[in-house]
Amino acid sequence: MTSLRWRTWHGPLVACALAMAALALVSGVGLVVDGRTVMGEGVWLKPFKFAASFALYALTLAWMISQVERWRRTLWWLGTVTVALFVLPEISAITFQAVRGVRSHFNFATTLDKSVFMLMGGAAYLGWALTLALGIFLVMQRRVNRAMAWAIPLGVAISLAGMSVGYLMTAPTPEQAQALAGGLKLITIGAHTVGAADGGAGMPLLGWATGGGDLRAAHFVGLHALQVLPLIALWVRRVPLVIVAAFGYAGLTGLLIWQAQRGQALIHPDGTTLLAAGALLAVVLAAAAAVQVRFTLRPRLTQAQAARS
């Protein structure tokens, strides 16, 4: 599972990753030369962030597919469909709205804006289903590297949970729900921020809210379990440590969702959040230490048993 032979990687996904890297570069230039803003952020910030994220996503899947021995044709087609029906429609819609200088997410201002947002939503749901399908076929492989055999399905599962956070963002806020119940027509339905309006003060580059909870933090962290857990497996090479890391990563994602849903900014945790984070860290460190002790003592116990026999 650790081959890095580029010629065996999934071609359309690699091409997609390169295209996303190019778009991230163009968007970065746009952030410098284009002074337009949307909701307090440069119009090119969202294409930049999504292009960078999609580049990692596509490259990771291309590598994973290159490692399989079974269902190669099925996985190849699933990867190609993922590029065509998930990544390209999503990033095209986001970039299109950036060029227009309007908001891409939650925008119901005009029929065109609503259609673009619905296209993005459909692509996102399809992307979730395709990632799930890819994960199932990736699990159905014979692997010598048992640590990676655990890291891939656990990474896919947590990544799917991170994707699902997007559904929480599309739900109307309490204020929006009340307005809709009263028969009002809204130009914005859904929000990233909890406990404050979108477009307020945000963290540099990331743009996550500093005046309220922001679901994008959990969305980002959970989504990239797809890369983090296989990297951990390459490093630790032990199944129990991969499982411990997955538990900790899933716990962190859940903690970030819980913090955001309470209307609390990522960089302004209260005592309850810090206590929960400390407890999670303590459990993960204790479990990792127990695994290390077990692997350290096992050779000694084996040698002692052999000596007695």
Side-chain angles (χ1 to χ4, degrees):
M1 291 296 294
T2 60
S3 171
L4 295 177
R5 294 172 297 174
W6 284 91
R7 287 180 295 179
T8 68
W9 290 30
H10 187 280
L13 280 167
V14 171
C16 176
L18 294 173
M20 292 303 102
L23 178 58
L25 179 61
V26 171
S27 300
V29 174
L31 284 169
V32 175
V33 302
D34 191 341
R36 294 178 299 161
T37 60
V38 175
M39 304 295 292
E41 298 179 348
V43 294
W44 291 102
L45 181 59
K46 194 173 292 289
F48 174 82
K49 293 192 294 185
F50 272 77
S53 182
F54 277 137
L56 286 173
Y57 172 81
L59 202 60
T60 302
L61 287 183
W63 168 70
M64 288 181 175
I65 292 173
S66 75
Q67 308 303 303
V68 303
E69 297 178 357
R70 306 171 62 191
W71 307 100
R72 291 183 66 89
R73 186 178 296 275
T74 300
L75 281 162
W76 195 94
W77 281 109
L78 280 172
T80 303
V81 172
T82 299
V83 172
L85 299 184
F86 169 40
V87 178
L88 292 184
E90 184 89 2
I91 197 65
S92 296
I94 291 170
T95 306
F96 174 70
Q97 294 294 68
V99 171
R100 294 179 63 219
V102 299
R103 191 177 189 183
S104 56
H105 289 72
F106 322 125
N107 190 348
F108 289 77
T110 67
T111 301
L112 176 59
D113 292 323
K114 179 179 178 180
S115 298
V116 171
F117 182 53
M118 297 303 290
L119 171 66
M120 292 169 55
Y125 280 115
L126 185 57
W128 191 96
L130 287 167
T131 303
L132 174 62
L134 284 163
I136 291 172
F137 283 106
L138 286 168
V139 169
M140 296 166 58
Q141 304 295 322
R142 299 187 184 93
R143 297 188 182 90
V144 176
N145 189 332
R146 295 183 64 247
M148 192 64 70
W150 280 84
I152 289 177
L154 289 172
V156 170
I158 299 171
S159 182
L160 288 170
M163 288 184 182
S164 300
V165 176
Y167 176 78
L168 299 176
M169 303 180 197
T170 61
T173 66
E175 296 78 13
Q176 292 169 353
Q178 185 176 5
L180 290 170
L184 295 179
K185 183 178 180 180
L186 303 180
I187 63 173
T188 301
I189 301 176
H192 297 130
T193 312
V194 180
D198 281 356
M203 297 170 59
L205 185 60
L206 295 171
W208 298 341
T210 56
D214 198 320
L215 291 165
R216 289 176 294 183
H219 181 61
F220 174 86
V221 171
L223 186 65
H224 290 293
L226 198 65
Q227 292 83 37
V228 173
L229 288 183
L231 286 174
I232 290 175
L234 288 173
W235 176 41
V236 301
R237 299 180 181 275
R238 290 175 178 173
V239 171
L241 287 176
V242 170
I243 295 173
V244 170
F247 170 81
Y249 202 93
L252 174 61
T253 303
L255 179 64
L256 292 174
I257 296 173
W258 177 60
Q259 182 183 12
Q261 289 284 56
R262 290 159 56 221
Q264 190 177 114
L266 176 67
I267 61 174
H268 298 303
D270 63 9
T272 303
T273 301
L274 291 174
L275 182 63
L280 175 64
L281 179 61
V283 170
V284 170
L285 290 177
V291 170
Q292 284 294 96
V293 169
R294 176 189 172 192
F295 276 94
T296 300
L297 293 179
R298 178 185 291 177
R300 298 177 184 177
L301 292 173
T302 302
Q303 292 172 2
Q305 292 172 352
R308 286 196 297 269
S309 62

